[in-house]
Amino acid sequence: MTARNDPVLELLPMVFAAPGEALTRAQEVLGAGPSPLHASVAHQVIGIWQRDFGDTRRALAHLRRARDLAARAESAEREADVLATLGVALVHAGRTRAGLAAFERGVARGSGHTRARVLYRRAYVWWVLGRHGAALEDVRRAIPVLRQADDVIWTARALTLRATVHLAQGSVERANADFTAAEALWDTTGQEHDKADAVESRGLAAFRAGDVPAALRLLDEAEERYAKLGTPTFMLTIRRCEVLMAAGLATEALAEADGAVAALDGIGGQSTRKAELLLVAARAARLADEPQTALARAAVAVRLFAGQRRTWYETHARLVLIEARVATGHGSGRLVADAAAVAERLAAFGAPAAPEASLLAGRIALDLGWTADAERHLAVAARSRHSGPPLARMTGWAAQALRARAAGSPRGVLEACRRGLDVLDDHRMTLGASELRARATAQGAELAALAQRASLVSGGPRRLLGWSERWRATVLSAPPTRPPADPVLLTVMTAFRELAARAEEARTDGGRPAPALEREQRRLEREIRSRTLHMRGEAPGDGDRFDVARLLRRLGDETRLVELAVLDGRVHVLLCGQGRVRRFEAGLLAEAEAEAEHVQAGLRRLAHPGAEARLPLVEAAGARLQHLLLGPAAAHLGSGPVVVVPPGRLHRVPWALLPALRERVLSVSPSASSWLRARDTAPPPGGRQVLVRGPGLASGGAEVPELSERYAGRRSPGGAGPGAPPPHDGPGRGAGTGSGGGLLGLADVPGGGAAVRGATVVLEGDDARVPRVLRELDGAALAHIAAHGTFRADSPLFSSLRMADGPLIVHDFERLDRSPYRIILPCCDTARFASVGADELLGLVTALLPLGTAGVVACTAPVNDAAVVPLMLALHKGLDAGLPLAEALRDARAALPGDAVHQATGWAFSAFGAA
């Protein structure tokens, strides 16, 4: 009897094509008083469903019943098939010995085609247990028989399994060949669950080949397919977390893995999957600098894997456990031996992680001063530098750099670091999303630090500057890939904008959030982010290398560039100018960060009138910051303009507050390379100015009417211009406006709209909608955008400016062909960034700089609304006189009244770039 002429037997393939329908029909069969044979099939179907989608204990009960009924039906083939299904369930429940025994009986009871199916499922179990050689042997025996029987479904499953085993052994080409063959077979079937599994498998193959965007796209597609089937996605979560970690999104991976563990526990799911999820969570916690969490997760994973007799996985979990112990400061000779033993076992398995274990053993040995042991282990790890995926090659180059350092060869260290960072450069440039590029740099942090230390010893300040630039703000070295002309993405972004506007309106009207709207908003955010992470990079990895001599030529004799490099927690000042680079030691980075936070708190207080007594305290804090950040270099700045290039962790320092910089023409840049590119950026033809004001602002945006008249050639005499509101007593531009703070702008004006005066475009009221605003901003010479703003520390690329139809987010700016040459953001916290990766910044300003913007004026703190108005008018007056942004801002600060509120407002603004 076959499935072709028995509708009950058709339920077995249906459980992977339409799981819910198969479950319902199996329950109906049991309710109709079936024969032992049919009852066996129905219990097996329910057991498979419970095993994969529900409670493992219930699955075992149904499968044991199915086995007993098959014996009563005196069908050896039926019994063999059920024993194989039971064997898989027992192994997933952590009862490995009993599961393998079931397979032994199944192989003995079955014959021909049935035995081939049993062998395939045992091969799957060998893969789960990490015994890849045995898996390949069983699948080798199964495939010819399945093909001979013209069993398309099981042949495709066997090919998919063989491909997955090849991937576990690092054989990407063999895996791709099998995946391709399997997918061709799946296209001829209606097995929707297996088709989704094939898409998931291709995502895994893309990841192993180093194509992170393709991996994310395919895994998301598989998730959509599983969702339509109502299928839990624990294995998919494991694979997605691996990709997220490779992309530098370790915190996100940890949250996903922990959430999946909780969900699995809630349904009494597979013990094997729980162990794998705990291993992924441990790895993610270690990469996210949460060593105690990593220790806890890895210890449980080791115990579970040991009980399940899964040595391959247990060894990987032990590697993470050792790494976490080292991260908590527990380096010892015992750990060297443990790491070496793990490396040997991984190498015996043919596991790609073996070099990581050897590198770990070598690193611990170096810290203990065991140079001979270190050399032995590092030499093994270094073999991976010439082949394999990018991160494996980086592991090899890191080992080679440590070998060179131990041998006292700075030149060898620098060469190894250069080669390793070149590998990572190539990998990063395959990523289209600026977020992924930024976060991926974390994987090169150790190489960059090794190179900086070696250059300090062997090459002096110039070489240190070169290596500081080699891995600083690299995400700005090339524009991000433009979001595709994806109608779905555009539709989702429009829906997100409308929903965000409704949520904001609900908060404004009722004073309370609208949970349903905010949940849907978060869902749309996830979809936008997901689609942008799928983008592949277009720019080549090489680009223009930083040239110290070129920088010094462009600086000339008057301008000084101050680049702050951090080595072993101390700030080193690299002072560039007059044809040379000098190095000075300053204070500790941790102390400077703490002082910067104190300054920020002081500026927030000074935004409120009545806090004048705090002004001397803030000024004193500025002097302390100068000592910590500039040290003796402050006395050698000359009298000309100064460009400050801080590390990412100091992005919130109000540099104009430092006494040595207070009267300077001062600009800030994420890197010296960024400053050079900004200097070389030509303004667009036409000189169009765009003035934008968003809705719902209390101040009336007093500077905008006068600016529109000024740029049209009809200047208003004196003061703040027509329509200026009187000063008010409360903080403005950000204070008291919720999570993101407010931005200067105009209140809604009846009859307001777009006005074009000469070469000036004014967008207000209903015309200040995102599509129109973006169209006018594209290629403008100057943009002044007054609107409420929100900085999103949790998701910086969703930081936004509020327009008439909702938020204008960073993802919108990335759609511009060319962002405005100069941008002024008279608003709170627009110069706030998230520091990610090795030394990268994500935020509104850094999104604009690679897109054609040469200069930005933005604010690092909440400021007083009324005090910003004269600052902005004075700033534009300087620009109208032909001054660059930094000089116009310096003069605008000097023109402000001398009271505490206006002084604090001037210090809060910085000029970025070189326009």
Side-chain angles (χ1 to χ4, degrees):
M1 185 175 291
T2 67
R4 291 191 179 96
N5 55 24
D6 188 329
V8 175
L9 291 180
E10 289 177 359
L11 296 180
L12 285 169
M14 183 186 290
V15 76
F16 295 107
E21 183 181 351
L23 176 65
T24 300
R25 288 179 57 180
Q27 290 168 336
E28 291 173 353
V29 168
L30 291 180
S35 66
L37 184 69
H38 283 176
S40 172
V41 173
H43 278 290
Q44 185 180 5
V45 168
I46 297 171
I48 291 172
W49 192 94
Q50 290 287 356
R51 181 195 69 194
D52 292 349
F53 313 140
D55 190 321
T56 305
R57 289 169 298 180
R58 292 182 180 179
L60 291 173
H62 281 285
L63 292 173
R64 289 188 179 108
R65 181 65 176 147
R67 177 199 59 195
D68 296 342
L69 287 165
R72 281 178 53 192
E74 298 182 348
S75 171
E77 302 300 307
R78 172 104 284 277
E79 190 176 353
D81 194 74
V82 175
L83 283 166
T85 304
L86 177 60
V88 173
L90 286 166
V91 170
H92 275 311
R95 300 179 59 185
T96 302
R97 181 179 295 175
L100 293 177
F103 273 110
E104 286 298 323
R105 294 195 299 276
V107 171
R109 292 288 285 162
S111 63
H113 184 207
T114 301
R115 179 180 289 172
R117 289 184 174 188
V118 174
L119 287 170
Y120 155 74
R121 280 173 281 185
R122 189 169 68 176
Y124 167 79
V125 161
W126 291 137
W127 170 71
V128 169
L129 296 174
R131 294 174 61 176
H132 300 131
L136 289 176
E137 175 59 23
D138 270 354
V139 82
R140 181 190 64 79
R141 295 167 58 191
I143 286 176
V145 180
L146 296 171
R147 279 180 170 151
Q148 184 66 31
D150 198 24
D151 190 338
V152 172
I153 292 174
W154 287 80
T155 302
R157 287 173 180 166
L159 288 169
T160 300
L161 174 60
R162 187 168 70 182
T164 306
V165 176
H166 283 320
L167 280 183
Q169 294 183 319
S171 301
V172 178
E173 291 183 4
R174 290 182 180 180
N176 279 327
D178 277 344
F179 280 139
T180 301
E183 196 160 12
L185 293 176
W186 288 128
D187 286 341
T188 68
T189 75
Q191 295 295 111
E192 296 305 321
H193 183 275
D194 286 307
K195 287 180 181 179
D197 184 68
V199 174
E200 177 185 340
S201 297
R202 283 197 290 120
L204 179 62
F207 169 55
R208 294 284 188 258
D211 192 344
V212 169
L216 289 170
R217 176 178 56 80
L218 289 164
L219 293 178
D220 285 347
E221 180 185 339
E223 187 172 29
E224 290 175 8
R225 289 172 177 255
Y226 287 133
K228 292 176 182 177
L229 298 170
T231 303
T233 54
F234 298 114
M235 192 67 226
L236 178 70
T237 297
I238 291 166
R239 289 170 171 172
R240 179 173 167 79
C241 287
E242 290 178 353
V243 180
L244 291 174
M245 285 186 282
L249 300 170
T251 301
E252 191 170 319
L254 175 59
E256 285 201 23
D258 279 349
V261 169
L264 193 66
D265 284 343
I267 64 171
Q270 298 170 355
S271 173
T272 51
R273 289 288 178 261
K274 178 176 181 178
E276 292 164 28
L277 284 164
L278 286 168
L279 172 56
V280 166
R283 290 183 57 223
R286 179 181 58 78
L287 293 173
D289 292 325
E290 296 186 30
Q292 294 297 338
T293 302
L295 274 172
R297 304 288 189 278
V300 178
V302 166
R303 188 171 68 249
L304 287 174
F305 286 132
Q308 296 163 2
R309 299 171 178 261
R310 302 172 72 188
T311 310
W312 191 88
Y313 285 97
E314 180 191 350
T315 307
H316 282 79
R318 288 192 183 279
L319 172 59
V320 181
L321 191 62
I322 297 167
E323 289 172 331
R325 285 173 177 161
V326 172
T328 56
H330 292 98
S332 67
R334 174 64 183 271
L335 285 183
V336 174
D338 289 346
V342 165
E344 288 179 8
R345 285 197 292 272
L346 291 173
F349 292 138
E356 294 178 33
S358 293
L359 174 61
L360 178 61
R363 188 182 284 124
I364 303 169
L366 270 184
D367 290 342
L368 295 172
W370 298 2
T371 54
D373 289 296
E375 167 59 23
R376 184 173 68 257
H377 298 304
L378 293 173
V380 173
R383 294 172 191 160
S384 68
R385 68 189 186 276
H386 294 304
S387 62
L391 299 184
R393 282 181 280 147
M394 283 190 60
T395 295
W397 285 116
Q400 187 69 6
L402 289 173
R403 292 178 74 196
R405 189 185 71 173
S409 172
R411 183 174 180 179
V413 172
L414 295 175
E415 174 62 14
C417 292
R418 181 185 67 79
R419 297 285 296 274
L421 292 177
D422 284 348
V423 170
L424 190 49
D425 271 341
D426 291 340
H427 169 64
R428 284 188 312 105
M429 298 312 291
T430 68
L431 308 174
S434 54
E435 178 181 3
L436 288 189
R437 289 185 184 178
R439 294 186 185 278
T441 60
Q443 293 147 354
E446 181 185 17
L447 287 170
L450 285 169
Q452 285 182 305
R453 294 189 194 102
S455 62
L456 181 61
V457 171
S458 67
R462 278 196 179 219
R463 182 170 283 179
L464 179 57
L465 175 64
W467 276 100
S468 178
E469 281 293 302
R470 178 67 178 79
W471 210 242
R472 179 189 293 267
T474 58
V475 74
L476 305 183
S477 62
T481 300
R482 293 290 191 272
D486 178 356
V488 175
L489 177 60
L490 293 175
T491 300
V492 173
M493 290 181 72
T494 300
F496 162 76
R497 192 174 301 123
E498 292 173 354
L499 203 70
R502 287 169 55 197
E504 177 63 28
E505 184 179 353
R507 282 191 294 269
T508 302
D509 292 346
R512 292 187 299 177
L517 291 177
E518 292 182 356
R519 279 196 301 273
E520 179 63 10
Q521 181 180 338
R522 288 194 295 271
R523 185 191 69 78
L524 292 171
E525 282 184 13
R526 287 194 297 271
E527 187 166 352
I528 292 169
R529 185 164 179 259
S530 174
R531 286 185 172 272
T532 56
L533 295 185
H534 296 169
M535 295 186 300
R536 282 190 57 81
E538 298 172 351
D542 292 337
D544 294 330
R545 292 297 187 191
F546 175 69
D547 183 347
V548 175
R550 176 170 169 254
L551 172 68
L552 293 174
R553 287 195 302 271
R554 293 305 300 257
L555 290 172
D557 291 333
E558 297 298 321
T559 304
R560 301 288 186 275
L561 184 140
V562 177
E563 180 149 330
L564 305 183
V566 178
L567 278 76
D568 300 321
R570 183 167 292 279
V571 178
H572 293 254
V573 183
L574 299 172
L575 180 60
C576 311
Q578 292 183 312
R580 59 178 175 159
V581 181
R582 289 178 285 173
R583 183 180 68 86
F584 302 86
E585 283 195 18
L588 296 176
L589 176 65
E591 293 180 7
E593 287 183 287
E595 197 65 61
E597 287 303 313
H598 293 154
V599 167
Q600 283 290 327
L603 291 178
R604 282 194 294 272
R605 291 289 301 277
L606 290 175
H608 299 259
E612 291 84 357
R614 298 194 64 83
L615 182 61
L617 300 177
V618 172
E619 290 182 307
R624 291 193 296 273
L625 261 181
Q626 175 172 301
H627 173 72
L628 290 167
L629 296 176
L630 299 181
H636 300 273
L637 296 178
S639 58
V642 174
V643 181
V644 177
V645 178
R649 289 166 63 181
L650 294 174
H651 67 275
R652 295 202 70 195
V653 171
W655 296 97
L657 175 62
L658 275 58
L661 303 176
R662 204 168 290 173
E663 308 299 327
R664 301 275 184 164
V665 174
L666 170 67
S667 59
V668 181
S669 181
S671 69
S673 300
S674 296
W675 181 81
L676 283 170
R677 282 193 301 276
R679 282 292 301 268
D680 292 339
T681 300
R688 184 175 78 257
Q689 293 89 29
V690 180
L691 307 177
V692 182
R693 56 178 179 177
L697 295 160
S699 71
E703 82 272 26
V704 176
E706 180 162 335
L707 292 176
S708 65
E709 295 297 326
R710 179 183 296 173
Y711 284 116
R714 297 189 298 274
R715 303 182 185 278
S716 302
H728 57 82
D729 292 333
R733 303 178 194 254
T737 57
S739 62
L743 307 180
L744 173 64
L746 300 180
D748 289 324
V749 178
V756 180
R757 300 183 177 93
T760 303
V761 177
V762 182
L763 298 176
E764 56 190 9
D766 225 24
D767 280 309
R769 301 173 72 85
V770 170
R772 176 71 190 278
V773 169
L774 289 173
R775 190 162 62 247
E776 298 296 346
L777 291 180
D778 209 331
L782 173 68
H784 181 108
I785 307 176
H788 279 298
T790 301
F791 172 71
R792 287 280 301 276
D794 64 318
S795 192
L797 297 189
F798 281 93
S799 297
S800 62
L801 302 172
R802 183 180 168 199
M803 298 293 109
D805 56 341
L808 172 65
I809 61 177
V810 173
H811 290 299
D812 289 312
F813 280 106
E814 289 185 342
R815 302 187 70 84
L816 295 174
D817 287 332
R818 176 174 178 175
S819 60
Y821 179 69
R822 288 173 172 165
I823 298 182
I824 297 171
L825 300 170
C827 40
C828 300
D829 288 340
T830 45
R832 285 189 64 185
F833 313 101
S835 181
V836 301
D839 200 5
E840 305 292 329
L841 295 170
L842 291 177
L844 184 56
V845 171
T846 54
L848 296 168
L849 293 177
L851 296 172
T853 294
V856 181
V857 168
C859 182
T860 63
V863 288
N864 185 281
D865 224 0
V868 172
V869 173
L871 179 70
M872 290 297 107
L873 291 173
L875 171 65
H876 280 270
K877 182 177 181 180
L879 295 177
D880 207 28
L883 300 180
L885 277 175
E887 189 171 353
L889 182 60
R890 189 273 311 268
D891 292 353
R893 287 193 195 101
L896 289 174
D899 61 276
V901 171
H902 286 87
Q903 290 300 304
T905 301
W907 292 330
F909 281 88
S910 294
F912 296 86

